[in-house]
């Protein structure tokens, strides 16, 4: 409970974690036993971790308030253990566009980037010579490119810090961060306005939980906060949908109604819980982890390696004195510390060194090692001391000083590393979907587990919202079309839209699983350089488990295993130095290990932290065949990301200046939101000071989410970017063509006319009025934005893509000046379709058909 009290001090009083913990029964578990008419919820989410909570936030933003979230764990349990901690660039973009309050809080809560941009390899966390407590030999320090925003083509490779002889820590780090060799990307445009983040999962969950509770009845983030009224009815209503400490014990499936007249109707699902409650839902979203109850109920197998390595996770907190010692020098600060010595081989995760939050991961080999004998609290405590500061000094004269440094072990828990992807993401009826760890499990190396889950939620939420909103979405479309057009009560959006989630996200999970395995193998190469071969324990286990050794009692074989492991680790004692040793315990053996490790790190063999193409370059092809694109077309897992205008890819970062719109963004404070999200850039793509510039800018990355927020649309929104003089000058024609398709699909679209220059700003601003005047009474809800591509970045991307797609046109002397193109962007920021349109005088009807075909194909690509 002390950890909850500490964390609650950093949160607003109305969201005190202490109050969550003390009143969880009242606020989250209250069961209404009053007889009621059966309610069928739109969705139920099982699992209240990061993926489930983001999914709840997104559904609430789409006004899907008839949803519940259940988790068998009490709230306080979720807020204890750090678990995952790395939020990659794409996930940060999603948070920024969809839940900006959470995004801003992550930036505020996380440690300074200088504390976690490095990985260390050595005999202990503390380098020898730092104080009078021993320490270990530093084998290498690698710095990752996370201090600045990534640029086009920039590699994610870590840089080995040179040995610090003749330079201080800051000089050594700067020499690594700013290498003398020019990689050619210093002046390249940015690929994202976001950088990755490092925040313990328990803190991240608390931020998502606050937002999910607030959003459930307020929707968009720019509306007034929900207030905490204690025992009031409004408070109970606001938090009823978050039900922690309530376990799903049984799942059943039913058809609507009774009798034979219900054939063909979609079934609904009933879940039964440990609180004696039954809830009914149209869609069940299983985000309940790798041991998913829902996945097991529906018999969906996991494919891959279910037991790559057993590990022991030790969560501990250092006191102020020890925290200060460990963080006092910059060369001791790192996200990960890989430690190799005669007492411990393991990896320390520094979640927040200044606040003392650490996790130690230790290899565990059952049944020849046991929790009771090998990982009891005293044994683990000695391992932690050995890993942090080297072997403790037992000299009586220094014992009192040693006691100034201390730590508290908070938990010791075993877990099994695996690489698994579900065979399919849906049940046979198509109304239960797997999300996050319920659908896939990766080795933690590279941090793709939680990030893939967050991006699963981002992909499925808008699809489910379109499917569920039905008549409610008619109102959204009504505000985006001429008045005389009637909206049909049905639409082309069907269950295919959900099956696209499986087609798109499962290949990405397979790709990320393979990458995570390669990352894990990179860590084993470092261990092998220290003369520790990961195959040796497995061979030993195999030998002890086979005749004739298997005939011996288990206890005898366990003792044999322990002795052999100790013998194998003894040479690593040379990487530790005692306080009494002026030479620091240096030896030829230690220097040789250092040479081996540095050779691997110098040649790019370090475990990477940034994977630009995997984070930003993954794509969703209409046929679901994109999973091998990255692996086959490029070499190197950390290769730089080069933006492409291709169907299925994320829309690249291009900043446009907004000139005018047919709706008043200021009324909703929408344009202010956009300007906060998208600072103005200089010619080289760097954010610039806009204090003297009143212009509003919008980024094409996640453009649909931004415009949805600016215009206060609750339905998922598509965006049609209109580029080129022939199209931008024919706004009425474009809109009428778009509307013909939009009314069939019953899905809203907003048009953005992208102009190449600001020469005729007034004319373009008047175009909104003139277009509405042309349409007369039919112009109500005509939503169009006029913006200017001041740097011609979008035009250049179009020209580059056209040149790559049509090499046979290279001799046509096409300088790209007259490109007319339509780019349709999905609600999740990925490209639904791209179409080039050529218009000649008198061909309005032909161009209208081209526009309709482009939009129709975009819907088919995105929705199925």
């Amino acid at each position: 409970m002390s950890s909850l009290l500490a964390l609650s001090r950093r949160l607003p009083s109305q969201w005190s974690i202490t109050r969550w913990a003390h009143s969880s029964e009242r606020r989250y578990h209250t069961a209404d036993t009053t007889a009621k008419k059966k309610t069928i919820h739109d969705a139920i989410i099982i699992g209240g971790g990061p993926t489930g909570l983001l999914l709840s936030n997104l559904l609430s933003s789409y006004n899907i308030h008839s949803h519940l979230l259940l988790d068998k764990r009490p709230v306080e349990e979720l807020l204890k253990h750090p678990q995952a901690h790395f939020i990659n660039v794409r996930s940060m973009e999603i948070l920024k566009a969809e839940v900006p309050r959470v995004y801003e809080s992550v930036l505020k809560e996380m440690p300074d980037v200088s504390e976690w941009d490095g990985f260390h390899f050595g005999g202990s966390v503390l380098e020898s010579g730092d104080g009078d407590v021993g320490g270990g030999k530093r084998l290498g320090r690698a710095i990752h490119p996370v201090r600045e925003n990534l640029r086009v083509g920039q590699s994610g490779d870590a840089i080995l810090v040179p040995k610090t002889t003749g330079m201080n820590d800051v000089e050594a780090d700067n020499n690594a961060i700013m290498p003398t060799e020019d990689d050619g990307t210093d002046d390249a445009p940015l690929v994202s306005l976001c950088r990755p983040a490092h925040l313990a999962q328990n803190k991240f969950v608390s931020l998502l939980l606050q937002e999910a509770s607030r959003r459930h009845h307020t929707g968009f983030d720019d509306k007034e906060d929900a207030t905490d009224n204690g025992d009031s009815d409004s408070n109970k209503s606001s938090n009823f949908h978050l039900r922690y400490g309530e376990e799903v014990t049984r799942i059943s499936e039913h058809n609507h109604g009774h009798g034979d007249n219900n054939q063909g109707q979609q079934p609904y699902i009933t879940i039964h819980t440990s609180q004696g409650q039954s809830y009914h839902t149209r869609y069940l979203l299983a985000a309940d982890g790798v041991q998913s109850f829902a996945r097991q109920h529906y018999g969906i197998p996991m494919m891959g390696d279910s037991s790559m390595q057993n590990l022991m996770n030790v969560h501990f907190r250092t006191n102020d004195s020890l925290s200060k010692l460990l963080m006092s020098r910059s060369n001791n600060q790192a996200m990960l510390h890989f430690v190799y010595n005669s007492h411990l081989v393991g990896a320390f995760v520094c979640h927040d060194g200044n606040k003392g939050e650490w996790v130690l991961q230790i290899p565990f080999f059952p049944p020849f090692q046991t929790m009771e004998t090998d990982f009891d609290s005293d044994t683990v405590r000695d391992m932690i001391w050995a890993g942090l500061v080297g072997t403790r000094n037992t000299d009586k004269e220094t014992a009192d000083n040693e006691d100034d440094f201390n730590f508290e072990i908070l938990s010791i828990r075993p877990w099994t590393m695996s690489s698994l992807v579900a065979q399919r993401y849906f049940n046979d009826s198509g109304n239960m979907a797997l999300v996050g760890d319920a659908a896939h499990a990766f080795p933690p190396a590279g941090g793709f587990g939680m990030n893939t889950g967050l991006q699963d939620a981002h992909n499925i939420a808008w699809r489910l919202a379109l499917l569920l909103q039905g008549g409610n979405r008619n109102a959204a479309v009504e505000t985006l079309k001429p008045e005389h057009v009637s909206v049909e009560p049905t639409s082309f959006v069907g269950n295919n839209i959900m099956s696209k989630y499986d087609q798109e996200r499962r290949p990405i999970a397979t790709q990320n699983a393979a990458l995570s395995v390669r990352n894990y193998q990179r860590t084993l190469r470092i261990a092998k350089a220290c003369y520790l071969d990961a195959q040796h324990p497995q061979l030993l286990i195999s030998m002890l488990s086979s005749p004739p050794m298997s005939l011996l009692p288990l206890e005898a074989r366990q003792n044999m295993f322990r002795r052999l492991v100790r013998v194998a680790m003894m040479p690593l004692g040379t990487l530790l130095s005692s306080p009494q040793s002026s030479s620091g315990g240096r030896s030829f053996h230690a220097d040789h290990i250092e040479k081996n490790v540095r050779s691997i790190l110098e040649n790019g063999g370090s475990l990477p932290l940034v994977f630009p193409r995997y984070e930003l370059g993954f794509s969703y092809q209409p046929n679901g065949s994109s999973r091998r694109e990255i692996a086959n077309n490029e070499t190197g897992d950390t290769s730089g990301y080069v933006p492409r205008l291709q169907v299925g890819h994320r829309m690249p970062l291009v900043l446009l200046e907004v000139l005018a719109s047919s709706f008043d963004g200021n009324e909703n404070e929408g344009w202010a939101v956009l300007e906060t999200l998208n600072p103005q850039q200089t010619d080289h793509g760097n954010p610039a000071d806009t204090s003297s510039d009143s212009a509003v800018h919008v980024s094409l990355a996640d453009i649909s989410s931004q415009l949805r927020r600016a215009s206060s649309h609750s339905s998922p929104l598509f965006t049609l970017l209109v580029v080129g003089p022939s199209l931008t000058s024919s706004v009425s024609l474009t809109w009428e063509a778009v509307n013909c398709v939009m009314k069939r699909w019953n899905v809203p679209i907003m048009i953005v006319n992208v102009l190449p220059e600001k020469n005729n700003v007034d004319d373009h601003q008047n175009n909104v009025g003139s277009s509405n005047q042309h349409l007369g009474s039919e112009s109500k809800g005509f939503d169009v934005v006029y913006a200017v591509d001041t740097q011609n970045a979008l035009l250049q991307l179009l020209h580059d893509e056209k040149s790559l797609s049509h090499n046979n046109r290279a001799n046509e002397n096409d300088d790209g000046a007259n490109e007319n193109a339509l780019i349709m962007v999905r609600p999740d920021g990925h490209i639904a379709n791209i179409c080039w349109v050529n218009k000649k005088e008198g061909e309005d009807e032909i161009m209208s058909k081209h526009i309709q075909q482009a939009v129709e194909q975009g819907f088919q690509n995105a929705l199925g």
Side-chain angles (χ1 to χ4, degrees), residues 128-129 131-135 393 573-574 576-587:
S128 56
D132 298 324
V133 290
N393 181 17
T574 60
L576 290 176
S577 60
S578 66
Q580 299 95 335
S581 174
S582 60
S583 65
R586 297 293 180 251
S587 72

Side-chain angles (χ1 to χ4, degrees), residues 365 368 532-543 561 565:
F365 300 98
F368 300 105
L532 296 172
D533 194 323
Q535 296 300 317
H536 291 171
Q538 299 304 326
L539 291 172
L540 181 57
I541 289 171
S542 178
M543 180 187 72
F561 180 88
V565 168

Side-chain angles (χ1 to χ4, degrees), residues 556-759:
R557 289 181 287 151
Q558 288 174 335
N559 290 333
M560 187 180 301
F561 180 88
R562 292 175 184 125
R563 285 197 297 270
L564 290 173
V565 168
R566 283 197 296 270
V567 169
M569 293 173 61
M570 282 179 61
L572 295 177
T574 60
L575 298 180
L576 290 176
S577 60
S578 66
Q580 299 95 335
S581 174
S582 60
S583 65
R586 297 293 180 251
S587 72
F588 172 79
H589 184 261
D591 292 339
H592 193 66
I593 290 177
E594 180 184 18
K595 181 179 179 181
N596 292 343
V597 171
R598 293 188 71 85
S599 176
I600 293 175
L601 299 179
E602 285 172 349
N603 290 283
S606 173
L607 171 63
L609 183 61
V610 179
F611 304 83
R613 286 185 301 108
Y614 284 88
E615 296 179 34
L616 299 174
F618 66 87
S619 64
Y620 302 139
Q621 297 300 322
N623 59 5
S625 62
S626 62
R627 64 185 180 276
R628 299 297 179 191
E629 180 175 338
I630 288 178
N632 288 342
N633 292 350
E634 303 275 358
T635 58
D637 289 337
T638 57
S639 295
Y641 163 68
V642 178
R644 295 290 303 275
L645 282 177
Q646 286 189 330
V647 173
H649 283 249
R650 159 189 169 272
M651 187 68 200
L653 172 65
V654 173
L655 282 189
L656 305 180
E657 181 179 333
V658 177
L659 302 179
S661 74
S662 58
F663 60 92
D664 187 356
N666 292 327
E667 180 180 343
N668 303 307
E669 297 185 354
W671 297 133
V673 168
L674 294 184
E675 183 58 16
T676 300
L677 291 174
N678 305 292
Q680 188 187 30
Q681 288 183 320
T682 66
D683 291 339
H684 295 306
N686 299 313
D689 181 12
T690 59
S691 58
S692 61
D693 188 353
S694 60
V696 173
H697 297 83
V698 60
S699 166
L700 294 187
D702 295 302
I703 179 66
S704 296
S705 294
Q706 296 176 71
L707 292 180
R708 186 175 72 88
R709 291 174 55 208
S711 58
S712 296
H713 283 295
S714 61
S715 179
L717 185 71
F718 281 73
T719 301
L720 186 67
L721 302 173
V722 180
V723 186
S726 297
L727 291 169
T728 56
S729 62
S730 306
V731 61
S732 302
L733 175 67
T734 302
W735 177 252
E736 289 171 344
V738 168
N739 185 68
C740 290
V741 183
M742 187 175 70
K743 71 179 182 181
R744 289 199 301 271
W745 285 85
N746 194 19
V747 176
I749 305 177
M750 187 174 292
I751 294 176
V752 177
N753 267 13
V754 183
L755 310 171
E757 54 188 14
K758 299 171 63 175
N759 290 352

Side-chain angles (χ1 to χ4, degrees), residues 355-509:
K355 295 177 181 176
E357 292 292 335
W358 294 78
V359 165
L360 170 61
Q361 297 181 349
I362 315 168
F364 172 42
F365 300 98
F368 300 105
Q369 289 182 325
T370 65
M371 286 278 295
E372 296 75 17
T373 302
D374 300 278
F375 294 97
D376 62 282
S377 58
D378 289 339
T379 301
V380 169
R381 190 171 185 85
D382 288 340
M383 290 180 179
I384 294 174
W385 275 119
L388 289 179
V389 299
T391 303
R392 294 192 68 188
N393 181 17
T394 58
D395 186 13
K396 184 71 173 175
E397 293 181 4
T398 58
D400 291 340
N401 292 333
E402 190 76 2
D403 287 340
D404 289 341
F405 307 117
N406 211 341
F407 58 83
E408 176 188 7
I409 295 177
L410 301 175
S411 66
I412 304 174
R413 306 193 306 185
W415 70 285
T416 302
M417 181 193 301
S418 57
S419 177
L420 300 167
V421 178
Q423 188 180 66
R424 63 184 190 276
Y425 279 12
F426 284 97
N427 63 343
D428 292 338
S429 300
N431 59 351
M432 189 287 303
L434 303 176
V435 190
D437 287 352
H440 44 72
F442 311 144
F448 280 91
M450 179 177 70
N451 287 291
T452 306
L454 295 174
Q455 292 157 30
D456 288 343
H458 191 228
N459 185 286
I460 199 172
W462 66 269
R463 298 180 180 282
L464 185 60
L466 284 177
L467 196 58
L468 288 171
Q469 283 173 335
N472 291 336
R473 193 169 65 253
N474 292 342
V477 174
E478 189 73 29
T479 66
L480 289 168
K481 67 169 190 65
E483 257 185 350
H484 74 290
V485 179
S486 61
V487 176
E488 300 294 333
T490 59
S491 74
F492 285 7
V493 176
N495 283 333
N496 281 346
I497 189 177
M498 297 298 287
S499 65
K500 294 284 287 186
Y501 164 71
D502 179 293
Q503 293 172 23
E504 293 182 351
R505 290 304 301 171
R506 196 157 54 88
I508 299 299

